[in-house]
Amino acid sequence: MSKFDILWENIGRRDEESFKLTFEEIEKIAGIPIDHSFLTYKRELVSFGYEVKKISMKDKTVEFKKVEGNGLQ
């Protein structure tokens, strides 16, 4: 269990092929501030059917993409 499990579960329930969340939205869902550890923990997301496609520090957004053949589906 990681500190981002709530976020991963929320993302895993989505049906979109890809979508973006702002850092602020991620922090609200996760209940914790996003920090450098997000880069390490993001690998866990694949088991929920998604991956991090792009992180924009300029726009403060994270783009997620569905991974076919993986996850809890």
Side-chain angles (χ1 to χ4, degrees):
M1 179 170 246
S2 82
K3 64 184 186 176
F4 289 104
D5 278 350
I6 292 171
L7 175 63
W8 305 153
E9 290 168 5
N10 180 284
I11 291 171
R13 289 190 293 267
R14 294 175 172 256
D15 285 331
E16 297 105 323
E17 283 298 315
S18 66
F19 61 94
K20 285 184 186 178
L21 292 175
T22 65
F23 287 5
E24 184 177 326
E25 291 170 320
I26 290 170
E27 291 174 354
K28 283 182 182 179
I29 294 167
I32 56 172
I34 192 170
D35 59 17
H36 70 280
S37 71
F38 182 80
L39 297 174
T40 301
Y41 286 104
K42 72 178 184 168
R43 293 182 211 135
E44 300 171 340
L45 184 55
V46 174
S47 66
F48 292 88
Y50 281 88
E51 65 183 354
V52 172
K53 183 175 178 184
K54 181 179 179 184
I55 298 172
S56 171
M57 298 304 286
K58 179 183 174 188
D59 297 331
K60 296 187 178 183
T61 60
V62 179
E63 187 173 349
F64 300 91
K65 182 181 180 212
K66 189 172 253 189
V67 177
E68 295 300 322
N70 292 316
L72 302 173
Q73 302 169 19

